[in-house]
Amino acid sequence: MGKRAIYSCITLQKELENTIKKIGFEGKVTYLNVALHSNPQKMHETLQRIIDENTEAEEIVICVSGCGKATCDLKATTCPIAVPRTMDCIDVLLTGSGIKRPDGAIFITKSWMNFMKNSTIDYAKLVQERGQAEAETFLKQLYKGFTDFYIIDTGTYDLQEVEAYIMPLVKLLGGTLARLPGPYKVLEKLVSGKYDDSVIAIPNGGTLSIHEFDGLRPCTIKK
């Protein structure tokens, strides 16, 4: 294939780097600003601008999926684009595992842990700012109805470090913590360019329809 460029959510950095090390990639790889992860509209605008301003790549691979409709209605204005056919980055990591994603669960990896540490809902930060009692009351309300936690084992980080971080919250909520394998096979498809149904390939001039994500677990993206 000709010149290719990858733009990826920062939460997939370790897994994408591991995939590239395994199968190789000669194009440009750019990780998107972490702030975009919690702002789907801004993520969409940023990705569209990247595509529109492209003057070099013959194909743009976007390692951001259905996340809050961030990729829906993207237009391939300068070259073909490819996007994983998944609801979000959790589903990206679970591809190839054959596991049916549990509904109503909280998932975490080291990248997600780092994201949480820098967010306004970090347990330790809240305790420091609000005190133990107020922080715990806030978190119980925030996570109301969520008790099942899963660490996704992608083989790229220390699981015990992540477990130690999330366990205080699990205990506070009276929840459970388990591990799931995360083979992230769709990243191999995207990096190699050998696409199948797990990848949405949009030709130059086309638009990524929201209906490409219909029927995906744990729910269907709706307008």
Side-chain angles (χ1 to χ4, degrees):
M1 301 181 72
K3 291 183 179 179
R4 304 172 72 221
I6 294 176
Y7 291 86
S8 175
C9 180
I10 195 69
T11 59
L12 297 173
Q13 182 172 358
K14 284 184 175 294
E15 291 74 25
L16 181 56
E17 289 176 350
N18 199 50
T19 300
I20 290 172
K21 182 179 179 180
K22 178 181 177 182
I23 66 177
F25 182 74
E26 297 181 355
K28 179 182 179 182
V29 179
T30 302
Y31 294 100
L32 300 165
N33 190 302
V34 66
L36 296 175
H37 189 267
S38 55
N39 191 332
Q41 181 59 39
K42 190 67 175 179
M43 175 74 83
H44 177 89
E45 294 170 357
T46 299
L47 291 172
Q48 189 62 66
R49 184 174 67 252
I50 287 169
I51 296 168
D52 293 344
E53 295 176 353
N54 170 52
T55 59
E56 296 184 358
E58 295 179 18
E59 182 187 40
I60 293 176
V61 176
I62 299 172
C63 292
V64 178
S65 52
C67 310
K69 299 189 289 189
T71 57
C72 296
D73 297 324
L74 283 178
K75 296 175 174 60
T77 55
T78 58
C79 67
I81 61 176
V83 178
R85 193 187 303 276
T86 53
M87 284 293 298
D88 53 31
C89 55
I90 297 300
D91 283 338
V92 168
L93 298 180
L94 292 175
T95 53
S97 68
I99 292 173
K100 179 181 177 182
R101 176 173 170 173
D103 291 341
I106 300 293
F107 301 87
I108 187 168
T109 64
K110 185 170 183 178
S111 293
W112 271 97
M113 177 189 76
N114 292 335
F115 180 78
M116 290 177 70
K117 279 184 176 180
N118 294 311
S119 74
T120 58
I121 60 171
D122 176 70
Y123 195 148
K125 188 184 298 182
L126 281 168
V127 170
Q128 184 177 17
E129 293 174 352
R130 303 188 182 192
Q132 191 80 30
E134 185 179 340
E136 291 186 353
T137 298
F138 172 79
L139 288 169
K140 285 179 179 179
Q141 182 62 36
L142 180 67
Y143 288 96
K144 187 177 182 180
F146 292 93
T147 56
D148 301 331
F149 288 74
Y150 294 91
I151 296 176
I152 301 179
D153 182 5
T154 63
T156 62
Y157 62 90
D158 181 0
L159 298 178
Q160 292 183 340
E161 178 186 1
V162 177
E163 184 172 329
Y165 171 78
I166 200 65
M167 187 54 76
L169 178 60
V170 176
K171 289 181 177 179
L172 173 66
L173 301 174
T176 60
L177 180 64
R179 297 178 180 180
L180 293 176
Y184 53 92
K185 288 296 184 181
V186 73
L187 292 185
E188 292 186 13
K189 304 292 184 181
L190 290 163
V191 171
S192 68
K194 298 176 181 178
Y195 302 152
D196 58 16
D197 289 344
S198 65
V199 174
I200 302 169
I202 305 298
N204 191 13
T207 300
L208 199 165
S209 169
I210 191 172
H211 296 297
E212 294 283 0
F213 300 104
D214 282 353
L216 297 182
R217 298 286 296 171
C219 60
T220 301
I221 295 179
K222 297 180 180 179
K223 288 187 178 181

